[in-house]
């Protein structure tokens, strides 16, 4: 039961807070206002937090060891209890599963291991009943070699219908082209793994010496574009609420940005007419390109910007790679992150949202590199109070571990480490499945102390409750939401903590995080008169802020009028 207007505050402290409510609090005179959007975005994004579900590892209802849609439906009340607004589902389509479903064989059919199309429809409807939206993965850039479009493209004497793929002569010498399986004599362009042939949306600047490089206006490329629009329409009609577009920047080849922007603008215009509340999310990792091109949200992750690495450093499980701000050894540099983040934020904030996710199915989880539960609280205190739309990867809310050297299942490579089954309880298979342990999609974390949902529900101090409370706080206060103003207050090179202001609503918030295991302190003039909402390991004395190892604090300051 909630006892406080400020859900992060214990009962005793909330009384104290109530007593202080009328006391004069000092404002932050140059606090940025709420951001005014220059183009329509779905209203629900203003305070949204999303939850990513990797379907094969979430909940298994038929005992085959693989998660399924019925399992997700059965856990929707749990998802609701987190307070999240939307789910992003990794691919659920028919596939040979060479890349965990990112090799689609039939875009319009749910893979039998996950259930049926009727189950997907039911999932959308059940989620909607609970006020949760469902964003599905759109693997737009490539198919599986087993897709009928590709099989057709491999025929020798093709009837006069559009060719969906890019073929170069058999003797061409470019590593991105792969010898076709026959009978067609030639090499096709791959997009990721060799069994993922690139769909042909065209080239921004085709080289006339390479006749296979077509302009996006070529009838073959137009046919591909329309076929993918038809896939989007199909899933919107089933009831989904938008798309997370896989490798969104990969669709147009050799582009200076113009053709790719034109392609996504075209899709956006159509989508927003077809279903105005639907959302477009990109895996592009360059918000300053993706958002103006038409996306509502872009993940600031690994491809084109080092920003996320400078914060979290999750990429490729490289234990000893460059230090990041969230390193417990305190060797990160918040100014390096901000130098990447702020220009992207400034360029995009009136058009859409940057997402700094807790992790995803391609990265190591945040419980990694020595970070334990108290450290994750510091990490989430920041990720869930930054501008943009936060995404929580399933299991991160309970602190599931990144697992070293996990099996390379379905093209996972190093990524098996973050794809292990969800830990629901202390029961057999952590409550994920009734299959025998050797039949599970991936092995569970063998740690006898592995965290699970049931235990954390019972523990008021758990990471699960903390995450819920941060989400609730964000929902309650527009300053903390996607559109709240953002201003670093204390950010020094190679120095901890990081202190910033979120502003624009009736109340402003000052957030301080020290992910380092070394204590630190600083002067923050804006702390004058601020009231504590939540903290661990932090103490103030006037404008002096003392922060212990792995500490955070959230303060409320009066908004300027
Ligand atoms: C994206 C997906 C990843 C997949 C790749 C190819 O990066 O997130 O899991 O392997 O695209 O589709
Ligand atoms: Ca199953």
């Amino acid at each position: 039961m909630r006892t406080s207007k400020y859900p992060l505050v214990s009962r005793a402290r909330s009384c104290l807070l109530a007593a202080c409510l009328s006391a004069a609090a000092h404002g932050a005179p140059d606090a940025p206002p709420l951001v005014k959007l220059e183009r329509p975005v779905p209203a629900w994004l203003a305070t949204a937090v999303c939850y990513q579900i990797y379907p094969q590892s979430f909940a298994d209802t038929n005992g085959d060891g693989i998660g399924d849609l019925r399992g997700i439906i059965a856990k929707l009340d749990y998802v609701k209890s987190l307070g999240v607004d939307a789910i992003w589902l990794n691919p659920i389509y028919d596939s040979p599963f060479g890349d965990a479903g990112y090799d689609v064989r039939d875009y319009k059919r749910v893979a039998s291991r996950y259930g049926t199309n009727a189950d997907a429809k039911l999932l959308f409807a059940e989620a909607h009943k609970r006020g949760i939206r469902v964003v599905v993965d759109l693997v737009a850039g490539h198919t599986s070699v087993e897709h009928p479009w590709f099989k057709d493209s491999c025929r020798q004497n093709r009837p006069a219908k559009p060719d969906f793929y890019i073929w170069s002569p058999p003797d061409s010498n470019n590593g991105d082209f792969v010898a076709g399986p026959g009978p067609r004599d030639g090499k096709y362009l791959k997009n990721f793994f060799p069994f993922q042939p690139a769909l042909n949306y065209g080239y921004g600047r085709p080289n006339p010496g390479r006749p296979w490089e077509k302009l996006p206006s070529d009838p073959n490329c137009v046919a591909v574009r329309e076929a993918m629009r038809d896939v989007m329409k199909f899933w919107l009609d089933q009831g989904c609420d938008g798309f997370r577009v896989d490798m969104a920047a990969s669709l147009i080849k050799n582009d200076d940005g113009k053709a790719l922007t034109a392609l996504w603008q075209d899709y956006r215009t159509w989508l927003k007419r077809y279903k105005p509340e639907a959302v477009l999310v990109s895996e592009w990792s360059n918000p300053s390109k993706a958002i103006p091109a038409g996306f509502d949200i872009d993940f600031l992750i690994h491809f084109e910007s080092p920003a996320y690495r400078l914060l979290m450093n999750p990429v490729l499980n490289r234990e000893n790679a460059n230090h990041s701000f969230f390193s417990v050894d305190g060797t990160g540099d918040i100014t390096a992150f901000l130098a990447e983040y702020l220009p992207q934020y400034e360029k995009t904030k009136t058009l859409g949202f940057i997402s700094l996710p807790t992790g995803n199915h391609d990265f190591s989880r945040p419980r990694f590199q020595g970070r334990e539960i108290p450290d994750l609280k510091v990490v989430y205190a920041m990720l869930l109070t930054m501008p943009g739309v936060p995404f929580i990867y399933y299991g991160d809310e309970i602190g599931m571990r990144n697992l070293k050297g996990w099996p390379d299942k379905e093209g996972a490579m190093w990524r098996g480490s973050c794809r292990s089954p969800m830990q629901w309880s202390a029961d057999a298979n952590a409550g994920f499945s009734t299959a025998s342990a050797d039949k599970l999609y991936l092995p569970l974390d063998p740690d006898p102390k592995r965290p699970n949902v049931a235990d954390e529900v019972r523990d008021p101090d758990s990471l699960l409750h903390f995450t819920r409370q941060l989400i609730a706080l964000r929902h309650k206060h527009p300053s903390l939401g996607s559109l709240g103003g953002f201003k670093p207050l204390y950010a020094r090179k190679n120095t901890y903590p990081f202190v910033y202001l979120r502003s624009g609503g009736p109340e402003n918030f000052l957030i301080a995080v020290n992910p380092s295991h070394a204590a630190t302190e600083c002067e923050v003039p804006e702390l004058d008169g601020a009231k504590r909402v939540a903290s661990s390991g932090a103490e103030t004395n006037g404008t002096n802020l003392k922060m212990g190892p792995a500490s955070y604090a959230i303060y409320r300051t009066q908004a300027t009028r």
Side-chain angles (χ1 to χ4, degrees):
M1 210 183 67
R2 190 161 294 161
T3 53
S4 161
K5 180 176 176 224
Y6 297 93
L8 286 167
V9 189
S10 68
R11 191 157 225 276
R13 202 181 299 152
S14 77
C15 298
L16 207 156
L17 261 181
C20 292
L21 274 174
S22 56
H26 292 240
D30 52 353
L34 281 185
V35 173
K36 283 206 175 55
L37 290 165
E38 284 169 25
R39 72 180 183 198
V41 302
W44 61 275
L45 289 181
T47 54
V49 177
C50 303
Y51 187 67
Q52 181 189 347
I53 294 182
Y54 191 67
Q56 48 269 64
S57 297
F58 200 59
D60 171 26
T61 52
N62 65 349
D64 66 354
I66 302 177
D68 42 56
L69 297 185
R70 294 266 165 181
I72 299 172
I73 294 169
K75 298 296 185 187
L76 281 175
D77 286 334
Y78 168 72
V79 175
K80 176 73 187 164
S81 78
L82 298 173
V84 297
D85 303 87
I87 292 169
W88 155 30
L89 264 189
N90 286 100
I92 52 170
Y93 320 107
D94 177 50
S95 164
F97 292 107
D99 184 13
Y102 282 97
D103 45 337
V104 179
R105 185 164 50 200
D106 184 346
Y107 285 101
K108 295 186 180 175
R109 196 154 68 89
V110 166
S112 55
R113 76 185 199 183
Y114 296 138
T116 63
N117 283 22
D119 292 334
K121 237 176 144 165
L122 184 65
L123 168 58
F124 302 148
E126 287 294 322
H128 293 163
K129 267 190 209 162
R130 293 164 176 82
I132 300 169
R133 292 174 159 90
V134 184
V135 170
V136 298
D137 221 301
L138 186 74
V139 192
H142 48 268
T143 64
S144 155
V145 284
E146 294 187 22
H147 195 290
W149 294 340
F150 188 71
K151 287 190 174 160
D152 182 61
S153 186
C154 289
R155 286 160 68 177
Q156 190 69 282
N157 298 309
R158 303 185 60 257
K161 61 177 181 175
D163 192 349
F164 277 22
Y165 300 86
I166 304 164
W167 291 84
S168 69
D171 56 355
S172 62
N173 194 12
N174 175 335
D176 289 335
F177 282 84
V178 184
R184 181 175 181 162
D185 201 15
K187 290 182 169 178
Y188 65 87
L189 182 66
K190 68 175 167 119
N191 217 29
F192 193 67
F193 285 122
F195 53 79
Q196 289 164 319
L199 283 163
N200 188 7
Y201 294 84
Y203 283 69
R205 290 168 298 188
N207 179 338
R210 300 184 201 130
W212 56 88
E213 297 189 0
K214 309 283 189 204
L215 278 170
S217 55
D218 181 272
N220 291 287
C221 306
V222 172
V224 169
R225 180 188 292 216
E226 293 316 311
M228 200 49 67
R229 197 189 316 269
D230 181 52
V231 169
M232 289 193 228
K233 186 171 175 298
F234 178 84
W235 285 104
L236 292 167
D237 291 348
Q238 304 299 302
C240 87
D241 301 284
F243 304 96
R244 172 269 187 189
V245 181
D246 187 61
M247 292 177 68
S250 76
L251 270 52
I252 304 273
K253 309 299 179 193
N254 190 14
D255 185 34
D256 57 6
K258 289 199 189 84
L260 198 50
T261 298
L263 173 75
W264 284 113
Q265 281 293 346
D266 171 42
Y267 278 145
R268 177 187 173 90
T269 307
W270 167 81
L271 178 78
K272 299 290 172 179
R273 253 186 239 136
Y274 197 73
K275 200 170 203 175
E277 286 291 283
V279 63
L280 261 187
V281 186
S282 50
E283 185 203 35
W284 190 319
S285 4
N286 196 335
S288 60
K289 287 186 183 165
I291 293 175
F295 287 94
D296 298 306
I297 302 175
D298 184 36
F299 294 110
L300 192 54
I301 40 175
H302 55 322
F303 302 143
E304 293 189 19
S305 160
Y308 196 64
R309 211 156 53 227
L310 293 163
L311 194 61
M312 185 84 97
N313 191 23
V315 185
L316 304 185
N317 272 1
R318 293 169 312 168
E319 299 254 8
N320 300 314
N322 300 337
H323 296 293
S324 63
F325 179 65
F326 289 150
S327 294
V328 296
D329 65 3
T331 53
D333 179 5
I334 194 63
T335 63
F337 165 73
L338 290 172
E340 287 293 327
Y341 175 82
L342 282 173
Q344 299 256 7
Y345 171 67
E346 290 300 332
K347 275 187 213 151
T348 57
K349 67 180 183 188
T350 59
L351 298 173
F353 307 109
I354 293 176
S355 180
L356 296 168
T358 62
N360 76 20
H361 63 291
D362 294 331
F363 297 142
S364 39
R365 289 183 179 278
R367 187 149 176 215
F368 180 54
Q369 292 174 328
R371 276 187 294 268
E372 290 300 336
I373 302 285
D375 304 298
L376 294 186
K377 288 186 176 175
V378 183
V379 169
Y380 297 179
M382 177 167 165
L383 293 181
L384 286 163
T385 61
M386 284 289 282
V389 177
F391 275 62
I392 297 170
Y393 182 52
Y394 83 94
D396 284 346
E397 74 278 20
I398 56 167
M400 277 173 58
R401 295 194 308 161
N402 199 65
L403 301 163
K404 224 174 168 176
W406 238 231
D408 177 7
K409 174 92 173 184
E410 296 182 346
M413 301 181 284
W414 69 89
R415 302 174 292 182
S417 307
C418 64
R419 296 177 175 182
S420 64
M422 179 69 175
Q423 295 155 200
W424 293 104
S425 67
D427 299 342
N429 291 335
F432 163 71
S433 167
T434 55
S436 60
D438 60 317
K439 292 280 183 312
L440 300 186
Y441 178 74
L442 275 168
L444 275 151
D445 181 351
D447 184 352
K449 293 201 298 282
R450 68 185 171 212
N452 69 67
V453 171
D455 286 353
E456 294 205 20
V457 164
R458 283 190 292 268
D459 174 5
D461 197 34
S462 66
L463 184 63
L464 175 63
H465 280 298
F466 183 72
T467 307
R468 284 174 171 170
Q469 290 162 355
L470 282 172
I471 294 171
L473 193 68
R474 190 178 177 98
H475 275 144
K476 190 170 262 172
H477 300 285
S479 323
L480 284 169
S482 325
L483 294 167
F486 172 68
K487 187 181 163 209
L489 298 178
Y490 183 90
R492 304 259 168 97
K493 192 165 176 51
N494 297 325
T495 303
Y496 289 73
F498 173 40
V499 183
Y500 54 99
L501 186 73
R502 298 301 316 282
S503 55
E507 289 169 304
N508 292 344
F509 290 85
L510 188 152
I511 296 110
V513 285
N514 176 28
S516 155
H517 281 184
T520 182
E521 64 183 284
C522 66
E523 279 295 318
V524 186
E526 292 81 356
L527 267 174
D528 188 15
K531 307 288 174 239
R532 184 167 58 178
V533 174
S535 68
S536 172
E539 291 298 330
T540 51
N541 184 358
T543 57
N544 179 265
L545 174 64
K546 279 197 173 39
M547 299 199 73
S551 55
Y552 65 86
I554 301 176
Y555 301 93
R556 179 173 53 86
T557 69
Q558 191 175 308
T560 35
R561 258 155 249 163

